[in-house]
């Protein structure tokens, strides 16, 4: 049962990802990516981690994709222009690197991962409980957590500063006229 | 094996009954709102179809079903057809974790009132799924609800619908933060994310007392999340015809209408669950023990179940009344003031509430003392916020002119 569920979900995730890359319309791409996120959140659920399921939906589907859609709609940038890439070597290089990555992934999965399907152990299940996850984040991993927070804060402050500078220049120009 | 089949069957019946009940609730909520709005505006409201207008929702449904189903030529067909479904499905999914009563089918009413951590003997058929991340699930599903409106606006290929969709996505992202922060404080009081356990934690005192500020913030940002008046800029009739759903007709329009009202009931139900003690009321346990003594444990359990459902219903209707009252009382806010309020008032207040809750719960471990302290602190914060907000007005026009002026064709410089 779980096996079937896993392959169905994984297939949906892959189809979503492929369609996202191939779709010429940015809004359609965003929707396929949304499908991909939903499938991945179901995969988290199959791994007995309901917390990551909810976070995946809230953060990626509920916030980031909405922002993507908002920007695409605001700029009216649904259609990608069909002009040729300026960097002619970019596409073959990307294909070659992707091939290398694929071979590497297959090699590693064949050689190192045990052949039995993954089953969530009781310890993993206890770890995935939101209360335990929270206490680990705020005790053992408190420094990485704080650093992540500071990086995000710096990004926010940077956006505000850049925005204010542009606005200041505008008002200076207006006063000069 | 048979056990699983029986469980799946019970769940299917629960789902079907739940969806039908919610749809009926939606239909009669429209009547409730129209009659109530009419009373508040000194009118009569729909009262012709059936006694007291009782059949009006049925008449509306028949009318919408038999309208011609038009799909405009230049819409993005796939997304246009997907959008109503994306609007209504999250609205229905929210209900999976909301306990709207406690009927223990195992025939033991005490299990409803016992500590869920030590008493697993509870099969509440008035709650579809008691998952241990219930509140997070609610937030996750609410955050997905924006897609229906946004995509409808984009796919319609019409400028009014598009403006409505853009407004919707900006507004919902902004108010979601305040909403989740308000919910977070209530979760911190309860110390759990399971909806049933949140209700259990309110057996002694409803969270509306210590979380008064959170409750007010939840109601305001909840209204904004529902894009209802006074925050209904998404469908502002005077500017945008009817906004995101301007190009939709027949049942597809009805689905949008339905999702808005079902979400309204759901937000009310969440408010009841998180702040007003859920299905619980004083005297339910007494009723259970009386009925069990008179007619056996199963009857006692059913009596408690029905009574708790009734209590839940009354509380939800009270909150719905508040929503209708708000719609009748306040005019629509201006867009920049909407953003100003969301980011500069609601979000900081919600964060302050989270910090306040954390400090008080840790410093004063006794539940009664920190509840009273938080209640007083909430009152103080709200009073200060009211005074400050009535003194400090957002700079009304200067910044707007600066932003708009560069687009005006330039005059020859002197």
């Amino acid at each position: 049962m779980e096996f079937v569920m896993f392959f169905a979900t994984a297939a949906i995730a892959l189809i979503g990802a492929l369609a996202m890359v191939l779709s010429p319309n940015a809004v359609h791409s965003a929707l396929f990516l949304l499908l991909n996120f939903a499938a991945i959140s179901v995969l988290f659920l199959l791994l007995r981690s309901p917390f990551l399921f909810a976070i995946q939906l809230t953060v990626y589907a509920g916030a980031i994709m909405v922002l993507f859609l908002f920007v695409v709609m605001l700029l009216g940038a649904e259609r990608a222009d069909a002009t040729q890439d300026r960097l002619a070597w970019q596409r073959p290089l990307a294909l070659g690197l992707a091939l290398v990555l694929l071979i590497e992934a297959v090699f590693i999965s064949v050689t190192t991962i045990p052949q039995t399907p993954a089953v969530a152990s009781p310890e993993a299940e206890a770890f995935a409980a939101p209360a335990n996850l929270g206490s680990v984040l705020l005790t053992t991993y408190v420094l990485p957590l704080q650093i992540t927070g500071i990086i995000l804060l710096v990004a926010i402050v940077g956006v505000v500063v850049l925005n204010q500078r542009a606005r200041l220049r505008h008002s200076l120009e207006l006063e000069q006229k | 094996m048979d056990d699983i089949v029986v469980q799946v069957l019970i769940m299917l019946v629960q789902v079907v009954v739940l969806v039908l009940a919610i749809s009926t609730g939606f239909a009669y909520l429209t009547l409730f709102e129209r009659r109530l709005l009419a009373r508040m505006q000194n009118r009569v409201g729909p009262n012709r179809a059936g006694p007291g207008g009782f059949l009006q929702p049925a008449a509306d449904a028949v009318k919408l079903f038999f309208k011609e189903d038009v799909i405009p030529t230049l819409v993005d067909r796939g997304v246009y057809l997907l959008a109503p479904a994306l609007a209504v499905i999250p609205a229905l999914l929210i209900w999976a974790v909301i306990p709207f009563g406690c009927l223990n089918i195992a025939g033991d009413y005490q299990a409803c009132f016992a500590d869920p951590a030590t008493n697993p003997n509870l099969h509440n058929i008035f709650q579809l799924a008691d998952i241990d991340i219930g509140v997070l699930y609610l937030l996750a599903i609410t955050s997905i609800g924006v897609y229906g409106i946004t995509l409808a606006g984009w796919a319609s290929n019409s400028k009014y619908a598009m403006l409505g969709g853009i407004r919707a996505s900006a507004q919902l992202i902004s108010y979601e933060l305040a909403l989740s922060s308000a919910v977070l404080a209530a979760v911190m009081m309860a110390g759990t994310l399971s909806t049933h356990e949140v209700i259990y934690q309110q057996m002694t005192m409803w969270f509306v007392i210590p979380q008064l500020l959170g409750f007010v913030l939840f109601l305001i940002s909840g209204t904004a999340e529902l894009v209802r008046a006074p925050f209904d800029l998404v469908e502002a009739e005077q500017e945008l015809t009817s906004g995101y759903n301007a190009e939709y007709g027949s049942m597809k329009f009805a689905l949008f209408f339905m999702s808005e009202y079902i979400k309204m009931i759901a937000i009310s139900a969440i408010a009841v669950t998180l702040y007003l003690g859920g299905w619980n009321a004083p005297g339910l346990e007494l009723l259970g023990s009386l009925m069990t003594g008179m007619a056996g444990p199963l009857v006692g359990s059913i009596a408690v179940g029905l009574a708790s459902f009734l209590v839940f219903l009354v509380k939800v209707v009270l909150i719905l009344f508040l929503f209708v009252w708000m719609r009748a009382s306040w005019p629509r806010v201006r867009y920049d003031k909407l953003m100003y309020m969301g980011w500069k008032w609601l979000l900081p207040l919600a964060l302050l509430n989270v910090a306040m809750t954390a400090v008080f719960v840790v410093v004063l471990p006794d539940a009664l003392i920190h509840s009273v302290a938080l209640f007083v602190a909430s009152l103080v914060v709200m009073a200060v916020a009211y005074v400050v907000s009535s003194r400090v007005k957002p700079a009304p026009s200067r910044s707007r002119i600066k932003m708009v002026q560069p687009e005006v064709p330039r005059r020859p410089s002197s």
Side-chain angles (χ1 to χ4, degrees):
Chain A
M1 182 67 187
E2 208 148 290
F3 203 64
V4 177
M5 287 280 283
F6 169 76
F7 275 102
T9 323
I12 293 173
L14 280 179
I15 291 170
L18 269 180
M20 191 268 292
V21 178
L22 297 178
S23 158
N25 187 319
V27 172
H28 291 176
S29 288
L31 281 179
F32 284 122
L33 190 56
L34 186 68
L35 180 70
N36 177 275
F37 285 156
I40 286 176
S41 70
V42 174
L43 285 181
F44 280 132
L45 212 53
L46 285 176
L47 289 172
R48 306 267 198 294
S49 180
F51 179 73
L52 283 180
F53 157 78
I55 291 300
Q56 170 87 11
L57 277 188
T58 317
V59 175
Y60 286 98
I64 293 181
M65 282 321 292
V66 179
L67 270 181
F68 271 32
L69 266 183
F70 177 70
V71 172
V72 169
M73 280 168 60
L74 197 67
L75 299 179
E78 294 93 346
R79 301 263 156 217
D81 46 353
T83 50
Q84 197 66 35
D85 272 342
R86 284 211 201 120
L87 303 172
W89 44 269
Q90 201 175 16
R91 208 167 276 191
L93 182 70
L95 279 176
L97 286 179
L99 203 65
V100 171
L101 195 65
L102 186 69
I103 291 170
E104 203 175 345
V106 169
F107 179 73
I108 290 175
S109 67
V110 165
T111 50
T112 59
I113 295 175
Q115 295 299 312
T116 50
V119 180
S121 62
E123 299 94 62
E125 215 163 301
F127 176 74
N132 298 344
L133 207 63
S135 69
V136 167
L137 267 185
L138 289 176
T139 51
T140 318
Y141 299 106
V142 69
L143 193 64
L145 184 76
Q146 295 289 343
I147 292 174
T148 319
I150 288 175
I151 292 174
L152 290 176
L153 185 68
V154 168
I156 295 172
V157 172
V159 167
V160 172
V161 167
L162 289 176
N163 185 27
Q164 285 305 106
R165 194 181 288 164
R167 201 175 278 181
L168 199 68
R169 204 179 298 140
H170 256 322
S171 59
L172 279 179
E173 278 171 10
L174 281 177
E175 272 168 30
Q176 278 169 1
K177 272 174 208 162
Chain B
M1 192 65 205
D2 276 353
D3 213 30
I4 293 177
V5 174
V6 170
Q7 272 181 13
V8 169
L9 274 181
I10 289 181
M11 204 163 239
L12 276 180
V13 171
Q14 276 176 312
V15 169
V16 171
V17 170
L18 187 62
V19 169
L20 285 179
I22 295 168
S23 311
T24 319
F26 143 68
Y28 279 91
L29 176 59
T30 60
L31 181 66
F32 175 74
E33 178 175 40
R34 290 170 67 184
R35 293 291 304 222
L36 200 61
L37 269 182
R39 284 283 164 222
M40 287 173 180
Q41 295 163 350
N42 211 2
R43 297 184 282 121
V44 180
N47 66 347
R48 294 288 123 177
F54 191 70
L55 292 177
Q56 186 67 40
D60 288 341
V62 169
K63 178 194 136 188
L64 280 168
F65 261 116
F66 288 103
K67 281 247 176 178
E68 187 187 352
D69 194 7
V70 182
I71 300 180
T73 323
L74 288 178
V75 299
D76 187 315
R77 214 181 147 86
V79 182
Y80 178 83
L81 293 177
L82 189 67
L86 277 183
V88 87
I89 288 173
L92 288 172
L93 280 180
I94 294 177
W95 286 89
V97 297
I98 295 177
F100 39 91
C102 187
L103 202 169
N104 188 3
I105 203 162
D108 169 20
Y109 79 93
Q110 276 116 347
C112 289
F113 302 94
D115 187 354
T118 57
N119 185 358
N121 183 29
L122 177 67
H123 302 285
N124 183 4
I125 59 163
F126 277 171
Q127 180 179 12
L128 212 53
D130 181 21
I131 50 180
D132 57 356
I133 52 148
V135 179
L136 270 182
Y137 173 87
L138 289 177
L139 292 178
I141 301 295
T142 331
S143 69
I144 293 181
V146 56
Y147 282 105
I149 297 179
T150 312
L151 290 174
W154 177 77
S156 294
N157 203 0
S158 136
K159 54 189 152 198
Y160 294 128
M162 178 78 164
L163 281 172
I166 290 181
R167 280 184 182 183
S169 51
Q171 176 178 342
L172 293 189
I173 294 176
S174 309
Y175 277 77
E176 208 178 289
L177 292 169
L179 187 83
S180 338
S181 309
V183 169
L184 176 64
V187 168
M188 281 160 71
M189 291 287 298
T192 174
L193 288 168
S194 146
T195 41
H196 177 74
E197 222 173 315
V198 169
I199 292 175
Y200 169 74
Q201 296 290 341
Q202 298 179 70
M203 293 272 166
T204 44
M205 184 190 287
W206 293 357
F207 284 163
V208 67
I209 297 171
Q211 287 296 325
L212 185 64
L213 180 58
F215 181 61
V216 172
L217 291 172
F218 181 88
L219 280 188
I220 298 176
S221 44
T223 317
E225 198 76 6
L226 294 169
V227 293
R228 264 184 71 81
F231 303 111
D232 57 345
L233 292 106
V234 170
E235 42 193 298
E237 292 87 355
Q238 293 85 346
E239 317 150 29
L240 300 183
T241 61
S242 74
Y244 68 93
N245 57 25
E247 305 293 332
Y248 283 87
S250 182
M251 273 316 279
K252 292 201 290 297
F253 168 74
L255 284 179
F256 282 120
F257 197 60
M258 186 170 158
S259 79
E260 187 186 326
Y261 278 80
I262 289 179
K263 264 198 258 171
M264 184 173 154
I265 311 178
I267 291 277
S268 312
I270 296 173
V272 167
T273 307
L274 289 179
Y275 297 100
L276 297 181
W279 43 260
N280 193 27
L284 273 185
E285 273 191 277
L286 187 69
L287 176 78
S289 69
L290 276 180
M291 293 304 282
T292 308
M294 270 160 55
L298 194 62
V299 177
S301 168
I302 290 174
V304 169
L306 294 181
S308 61
F309 176 62
L310 207 65
V311 169
F312 178 79
L313 213 59
V314 168
K315 288 177 183 172
V316 167
V317 169
L318 280 178
I319 303 257
L320 288 175
F321 178 83
L322 203 64
F323 276 131
V324 177
W325 193 5
M326 275 202 263
R327 177 172 169 181
S329 304
W330 282 308
R332 186 178 300 134
V333 297
R334 216 171 61 196
Y335 192 74
D336 58 330
K337 287 201 172 172
L338 175 91
M339 286 296 156
Y340 181 85
M341 184 163 98
W343 288 102
K344 295 197 174 166
W345 283 103
L346 292 186
L347 183 61
L349 281 180
L351 291 178
L352 177 67
N353 187 35
V354 169
M356 226 162 64
T357 309
V359 170
F360 279 52
V361 168
V362 172
V363 171
L364 309 166
D366 185 73
L368 187 66
I369 296 177
H370 73 228
S371 295
V372 172
L374 273 172
F375 179 67
V376 175
S378 292
L379 282 182
V380 171
V381 168
M382 284 199 287
V384 170
Y386 179 74
V387 171
V388 174
S389 71
S390 55
R391 293 266 167 83
V392 183
K393 291 287 176 214
S397 50
R398 269 183 71 102
S399 62
R400 275 160 58 97
I401 287 176
K402 266 180 207 160
M403 280 161 64
V404 172
Q405 221 159 19
E407 291 165 18
V408 179
R410 277 191 203 162
R411 278 166 293 175
S413 53
S414 52

